[in-house]
Amino acid sequence: MQNYFAPLKMQILMLVVLFAIFGAYSLQFHAFAADEYTYMNNAKAFASGELDKASDLGRFPMFSFVLSIAYKILGDAEATGRALNVFIGFCTALAVLFMVYWNQKNKEVAFIAASLTAANPALLFLASRTFSEPLFILLLVLCAWALLLALKNEKWFVVLGVLLVSLILTRFVGLYFAVIAVAFFVIKRQIVQIVQRKWLYAGIAAGALFAFLLVLQIPNASNNFATFIQDQISGNLALASGNTIGLGLPDKISSYLLVTPFLLGAPLLVLVWFAFKDRKKLIQAIKTAFSSDLFLLSAISIVLIAIIMELHGFIAPRLLRYAAVVIPFLAILFAMIVTKFTSIDTEKLARKIMYALIMLNLVVGFAVVGYFGSYEKHVAFREAALYTKDNCNSFQSNIDYVLLYYTGQKNSVESKPECFVLNNYDGLTDKPPSESGYASVYQYGKVTVYKR
């Protein structure tokens, strides 16, 4: 394996340097959104075995479990989750690089796809936070690669089974990869042969066993396995039905189908330019690229994910970070189309423009990370929680998930706790009970600490 990817040493080194710089930049920020605190609290609970201090056990546990391992190794500092996701982002770009090179045997195609993935503003943003999407995206790419490998050696279905279960345990919508796999084999007219292969069922069994063993590794969850699974199902049904509150970022979108093409960012302009320059040649390049299983699987993944999430969007909020999972597949399509449309000898200008636009993506990504890294609302959450930790023995708050992370305490059951910590962003106008003797002692932005 080492010798097989030896020609990619320089490309790997460039990705290492990029993510080292990006990691040093992103780790200087300490603002977190609501969802991030949920994962952080769950991970602390998994690491300590105190499941009563989890924010939401209904969230699928894979990312929280991985984060809990990082907490055990690096400590449960704020930077740990971000460092983990920077590393996962690097692994995703590396997986794209290896998968494309394995399929195409072309260093340039592989590096363009990996660079587009690594420099994508949405992916950089997610890699700078403590969200589950980076792990989901990595597992999605690995599922695609395992599926392609299974075409050549059916024993890879065992690996695919474990990866697919891991994907579903990261976000329940990972189920759509099963739809992608079926569509892929139907289009290739191999579905009958596939369902007759014994290793397919070995993969299903391996996935089920992996899920069971994972839950057993979560302290105390194994004591009541049925209750833990019930919490998972009910929590995700609430999420699927839109019966949740506290979405922490202003990333709502109108449509996954309309947004998907633009997730390429600035390099999309290259395809627009090619379309006007020589439409017939571009169409021919796309047709030629479709002869590749990798291109076909990437195209199917983009289309089906966008459609399935669009349907899901009728009952739940549409969020940009849910659409971002198609970015590696968009990068692969772009790299394969552009390199088949052009040649180094005849289209040097096009290549220069393409790499310049990838750099523009990178600059935009760093700017987005900086903007949300100092987002007032999230900074206010943290600062108020730190003040409460040092000055209040008991509290009630409408951002209790934030205070749980910093103080290790949940909302007090007392009718008159020592403090109220109230968030008044998003149109909220919460105050302590009238005539209760509480006075404002600390305020940051629209988050206020009241003490009696």
Side-chain angles (χ1 to χ4, degrees), residues 13-29:
L13 178 61
M14 292 177 71
L15 291 176
V16 169
V17 171
L18 168 60
F19 278 94
I21 295 171
F22 175 69
Y25 174 71
S26 64
L27 290 179
Q28 69 179 298
F29 299 108

Side-chain angles (χ1 to χ4, degrees), residues 42 45-47 49 51 57 61-62 64-65 68 72 212-223 228 232:
N42 285 2
F46 288 171
L51 295 190
L57 284 178
M62 193 66 189
S64 297
F65 179 71
S68 73
K72 290 178 181 178
F212 178 72
L213 293 176
L214 175 69
V215 174
L216 292 183
Q217 298 306 309
I218 299 173
N220 294 331
S222 57
N223 294 344
F228 185 82
Q232 295 292 304

Side-chain angles (χ1 to χ4, degrees), residues 5-18 90 94 97-98 111:
F5 294 113
L8 298 174
K9 286 181 180 178
M10 184 56 65
Q11 288 79 5
I12 295 170
L13 178 61
M14 292 177 71
L15 291 176
V16 169
V17 171
L18 168 60
F90 166 71
L94 206 61
L97 179 74
F98 288 168
F111 185 61

Side-chain angles (χ1 to χ4, degrees), residues 91-112:
C91 289
T92 301
L94 206 61
V96 170
L97 179 74
F98 288 168
M99 178 171 65
V100 176
Y101 181 73
W102 164 81
N103 183 264
Q104 296 290 297
K105 306 299 186 293
N106 185 312
K107 290 191 294 184
E108 187 186 26
V109 179
F111 185 61
I112 292 172

Side-chain angles (χ1 to χ4, degrees), residues 183-248:
F184 177 72
F185 289 125
V186 167
I187 291 173
K188 288 184 64 65
R189 298 180 181 179
Q190 294 183 1
I191 190 68
V192 175
Q193 299 95 309
I194 293 297
V195 298
Q196 293 175 343
R197 293 182 179 178
K198 62 181 180 180
W199 285 103
L200 172 66
Y201 301 99
I204 294 172
L209 178 62
F210 173 78
F212 178 72
L213 293 176
L214 175 69
V215 174
L216 292 183
Q217 298 306 309
I218 299 173
N220 294 331
S222 57
N223 294 344
N224 196 335
F225 186 83
T227 300
F228 185 82
I229 297 301
Q230 183 180 355
D231 287 342
Q232 295 292 304
I233 294 172
S234 61
N236 281 277
L237 285 176
L239 181 66
S241 65
N243 186 27
T244 57
I245 59 173
L247 295 171

